[in-house]
Amino acid sequence: MAFPGDGEHAAADAVVLEITDTSSSPYARTPSAPVSISDLARLDPLPLIESSSYFRALLGGSFSESGRDYVQVGCNLEAAVQVLRYLFQPSDSFTITHDNFLALLEGALFLAVESLLLECERWFSTMASQTSAMPVPLDFIIEVWHFAQEHGVTFVQDICLEYLAQNFVGTCCPKEENNFLSLSSEKQLCEAILYWVSENMKTSEQPNPNSVDGHLFLLSKVKVCLLPLGFATGTKRHWFDIGNKIVCTILDLLKDSMSTLLDAISDGSLERYCIRITEYSENIMLSGCPQITTAFLYISVLPTDLDVSFKRRIVTSYTKVDHQSSTLYDELEEAVETLSFRNVHMVDLSKCPNVHFGAAVDWLKLAFPQLRIFRASHCLSFQFDDLLYLLLRCPWINEIDITIDTSTITPKHSIVSSSSDILRKVKPNPRYRIQYAPCDRQLNISRLTLEGRSDIDDVDLLEISVLKNSLCYINIRNCSLLTDDGISNLLTKCTKIHSMVLSYTSFGNRSIQTLRTTKSPDHNDGHAHVMGFYMQELHLDGCKGLDSAALSHLMDIINITKILCLRETSLTDGALCRFFGSSLECLDVSETVISMVSLAPVIQRNYKLNCLKTAGCRGLVFECDKVEHIGGNKYGDFLQVVGSTNCLEEVEMGWGFCPIQIEDVVPSFSNVRKMTVGLGTALAENVLCALPVICPFLESLILRFQVISDRVVRNLLESAMNLEVLCLHYCLGSLTSLSIQTKAPALRILRLQRVTPWMTNDDLTILTENCNLVELSLSGCKLLDSNSQDIISSGWPNLAILHLEECGQVTIEGVSSILNCKGLEDVLLRHTGRGIGRSIIDDAIRELPLLRKLALDLCDACEDGYDSPNEVEGKMIRSVRMSRCKTLRGSCLGVPREGSSKPVHKDTVVLEWSSRRITTTIVQERL
């Protein structure tokens, strides 16, 4: 083809243009009319140069290709052909259709044909505006949207959003259910419908009740039995009747899911219990669904034409906790081709206590051959044997998270006595006892999170070392049974690990020696031959087994670390001065004895630092004449040092930050999203009031021992539009009820400790109207009474965490209203009224399916203490704490006598569950 150029170096002779297909784009469609390249070669090539910035630069510019007689271009061949058709064919004979739109769009982007991009935008906009007849297939919208997200085509994304919003009813509810509607969870669909109905009600000056009811019929398309319980309770805030019906459906299902599923099979309505999985599904989110059993998982991936009797066998077998049927799985495996969803890369079964995870692993293998991420956090029923079985059956997975809540008891607590009992263990399925032969298969697990697993010991950790060829990240925070020797042995074998969360473990001097061990004796590049040199993330918070000398040796070798957490360690100036890294993005040295002598150079050298935590470091306060100078800045002036970085997003400050002037924190704090201010720093009122301006992206603010006022709090709630977390602990000032009389729609977490003694039920009601909380913590609110419970439970039905301490007589008549918040996961009731019955523990576990933590005080017992819980295997509960006071006499679970002196806490009885045992511990202090 001859390409006449318009530049000084344009090619004057014929140029051969070869277009090589380098793309296997999933968006490619069959052209509506095949085009012959030889036909195109005979056409006048001038439009190619004139219309395409790509070819104009390539063939008529200063690139080396412009002087060649042979040019090769690699791109999507069909896209290129479609663009050539557009350029060379008469405009009246060329049309854009659903079949060629994506190819044209891709070609126009790659070859920079501006006129074609405008044509694509015009066509797509016109097409999307034709809402009445619903001519556009939903699968086409999905494909276009995915393409636009990957390539940053904003006009397509905007139009897709508008189109789906305008055609919500038709999209979700065609005459025949559309199989392309892909959701990560049923919650997404329910949220979209309720939001859509709410917005339609806002736009109507006088909404017609019949119209609202007509819109709400869409909820019939939601499989309400698959909604997360916490979300379902939250719908009661604005849609009480709907939300209450959904919650009742879920609770009924919890009581007897087997009968419900068998009935559904009999009447042909099993589909409404099947998880929504399509060929486009990428994530499956079932977190927070305690009603889900293994049977729900299996029926969701079965062929629709499967024999009814076989479906009944599935439900009967897989609903039982002690699932034993390996023969049944073998029958299922024969249909693996029809049960496979290759696009699914993440499955989340967190907070699903009624799933049998041995059988769930078989489900993962059967249905998701490309699965990469598996999460089952807060599931005590997930045992270590299940983890090994998962590695055996699904070796292609590369990320596993089986976190549980960390133990309340730490080494710093004084233990009076402790005993444990082995829980009744489920008889293992013989197929789960397959001899593990890791040498025979390639394992790909790179990230493993075992946080809080206090039932994992050194022997278990040694078995994990089979991941030696892949493991890069491990989180064993609060795994209290692990020893320094066990951790060291793991590091010896898994030498590819570059990120470790070891907080509150026995990680100590021997493990550090392992990190200093030579990996390659022939390597002579400084410390690059030792394992510790490659550490990118290191969390050592609360590791008391480390002495200062060991930390000094560690600081020597971790020069490329990005995240370094040393809170509550033996870190000294001498140790920190030996850290010369310049890649830090997060540094936590809170509660250590370091001073500015060592910290200031670290901050100044690490210009990418976005998270800095120094609370509780008294050594940061210095007299100026005792501090060295660098570049004219005194180390004693912390704010001058912090001012050297303007990318801080999270900051925790205490000693050394005082006094603070507004000009000192701008622009250093302009990107801060999370801020904690504690003892040792006193922010002036004008600074606190200016925080929404200083930190326009502020999402979380925690203030301890600060002087606050109504003006400060109101300004924060009104002006900090992104503020989700507000915590005021032991703050002073003239705070009144006026401070909470403002709307804060973004606020989700509110903790008020000893700052609102004036709070009444009326104030509490105003709070429920102004914000939608998922966590509420109040202490010292002595004017509250039993009616407060109903205000809390009806105003915030979606609460996950509720802490009430020294709050008048809230529980004087029991806790029935609190138990109506069915999504509660963490409850603390202390000194809130002597009206809590003996059966509170069993009642709470039974009534709150997601409950993991319960803290009580014996002072609130209306009888002779509390009964120990009955069998709770398969539940969510992780810990129960019962505090006692020194005024108590007699039984360890007794209550104080009438007229006794003000109680002083004596000790705490702690019950903790793991996957293997229940432990009862008496700690000589209040927890």
Side-chain angles (χ1 to χ4, degrees), residues 440-599:
D440 297 332
R441 52 182 67 236
Q442 176 65 41
L443 299 175
N444 295 305
I445 304 297
S446 61
R447 293 178 62 90
L448 179 61
T449 300
L450 305 172
E451 181 171 330
R453 290 279 170 176
S454 54
D455 50 351
I456 292 179
D457 56 25
D458 288 352
V459 176
D460 297 328
L461 203 60
L462 189 61
E463 292 199 62
I464 293 174
S465 65
V466 300
L467 303 174
K468 60 185 178 182
N469 294 323
S470 61
L471 191 62
C472 298
Y473 171 99
I474 187 166
N475 180 344
I476 52 175
R477 176 186 173 92
N478 265 102
C479 293
S480 55
L481 291 184
L482 300 180
T483 68
D484 190 23
D485 288 346
I487 298 172
S488 174
N489 290 336
L490 176 71
L491 296 177
T492 300
K493 296 179 180 297
C494 299
T495 57
K496 291 187 176 181
I497 292 179
H498 57 63
S499 298
M500 298 188 293
V501 181
L502 306 165
S503 309
Y504 304 100
T505 65
S506 296
F507 179 87
N509 297 353
R510 179 176 173 184
S511 294
I512 287 185
Q513 287 302 315
T514 302
L515 291 177
R516 292 173 55 84
T517 301
T518 300
K519 289 180 64 176
S520 174
D522 299 330
H523 209 305
N524 297 318
D525 184 12
H527 293 294
H529 60 289
V530 300
M531 183 177 180
F533 177 82
Y534 298 95
M535 283 297 135
Q536 298 177 18
E537 184 174 345
L538 196 56
H539 299 253
L540 301 178
D541 317 52
C543 291
K544 300 300 183 181
L546 292 172
D547 57 34
S548 180
L551 279 172
S552 294
H553 293 313
L554 181 63
M555 295 298 105
D556 268 340
I557 59 175
I558 54 172
N559 290 339
I560 65 172
T561 303
K562 295 181 179 180
I563 301 176
L564 181 60
C565 299
L566 300 169
R567 178 187 293 257
E568 298 178 30
T569 64
S570 301
L571 184 68
T572 61
D573 279 341
L576 191 56
C577 280
R578 299 181 70 167
F579 176 76
F580 292 102
S582 58
S583 302
L584 279 181
E585 297 174 6
C586 175
L587 176 64
D588 185 353
V589 291
S590 301
E591 307 296 337
T592 62
V593 298
I594 62 162
S595 72
M596 291 301 299
V597 172
S598 61
L599 182 58

Side-chain angles (χ1 to χ4, degrees), residues 694-752:
I694 298 171
C695 312
F697 306 110
L698 191 64
E699 297 173 357
S700 172
L701 178 63
I702 301 174
L703 301 177
R704 294 189 174 94
F705 303 102
Q706 301 299 303
V707 179
I708 57 176
S709 65
D710 288 344
R711 178 186 170 209
V712 168
V713 176
R714 286 183 65 87
N715 189 59
L716 282 168
L717 296 178
E718 291 174 354
S719 305
M721 304 307 296
N722 300 312
L723 191 66
E724 297 180 359
V725 180
L726 178 62
C727 306
L728 306 176
H729 301 278
Y730 302 95
C731 292
L732 306 175
S734 55
L735 210 62
T736 70
S737 60
L738 185 64
S739 61
I740 60 173
Q741 295 178 10
T742 185
K743 295 286 185 181
L747 196 66
R748 293 294 177 266
I749 296 175
L750 179 64
R751 302 176 194 149
L752 303 173

